Amino acid sequence: MNLTANRAGHFGLLACLAGFTLWFTASAWEADATLVNMILIGPVAALALGLIAAIGIGLLLNPERDAEPAEPAENDSFRERWGVAIGCLALALYVLSLETIGFDVAGVIFCAACMVLMGRRNWLVIVAYSLFVGLAPVWILEGPMGIPVHTLILE
């Protein structure tokens, strides 16, 4: 196996993600090992570790997949050039705004902004999908799970 800097970076990132997932799951288990606490953390941790393992196996079996980084195109669009940075900034603003404007409004705005950033232009689809993706998790947290979250509209 030819271990290039690119491959080492990929495997290092996978190792960091796996380590964080294991640490977070163990910490949550140590804090409160009840079913209510672990009902979301356990399955998500198992899914994350499964995905990490699948990606790692894929990298081992297909070394040519990431041998060389992709060459940047000469005529990059604004979205291709700055999309990741804007997405990271949008995620940070989303997390910081949860307690200020509420989980419901922040979720809808974040989802709509990301859809526009990804190139979606059908406003009916953007509004419908954003409302569902932004409000459904809040309803699930507050309703069936009984976890109170700060909301602006769904109070």
Side-chain angles (χ1 to χ4, degrees):
M1 177 174 77
N2 185 12
L3 188 63
T4 63
N6 197 30
R7 289 177 60 77
H10 287 158
F11 285 119
L13 179 61
L14 290 174
C16 288
L17 291 173
F20 176 78
T21 303
L22 291 171
W23 168 80
F24 186 84
T25 306
S27 178
W29 180 267
E30 186 178 312
D32 184 11
T34 62
L35 180 64
V36 172
N37 187 43
M38 297 305 293
I39 198 163
L40 287 176
I41 296 171
V44 170
L47 176 65
L49 291 172
L51 288 172
I52 291 167
I55 293 169
I57 291 169
L59 289 174
L60 285 173
L61 296 178
N62 301 311
E64 70 281 351
R65 179 183 294 166
D66 68 335
E68 293 295 325
E71 293 294 324
E74 291 181 16
N75 296 328
D76 285 340
S77 68
F78 179 80
R79 182 178 45 167
E80 289 172 351
R81 183 172 295 198
W82 299 103
V84 173
I86 293 170
C88 291
L89 179 63
L91 180 61
L93 290 173
Y94 165 70
V95 170
L96 293 172
S97 68
L98 288 174
E99 288 295 325
T100 306
I101 63 174
F103 279 61
D104 50 357
V105 175
V108 171
I109 291 172
F110 176 72
C111 183
C114 287
M115 289 179 74
V116 170
L117 180 65
M118 289 188 288
R120 181 60 96 181
R121 296 296 180 253
N122 184 340
W123 288 102
L124 182 61
V125 171
I126 292 172
V127 169
Y129 187 76
S130 297
L131 284 172
F132 176 73
V133 169
L135 300 178
V138 174
W139 178 80
I140 290 171
L141 284 171
E142 287 188 331
M145 295 187 71
I147 300 171
V149 294
H150 175 67
T151 59
L152 188 64
I153 297 172
L154 297 178
E155 290 196 57

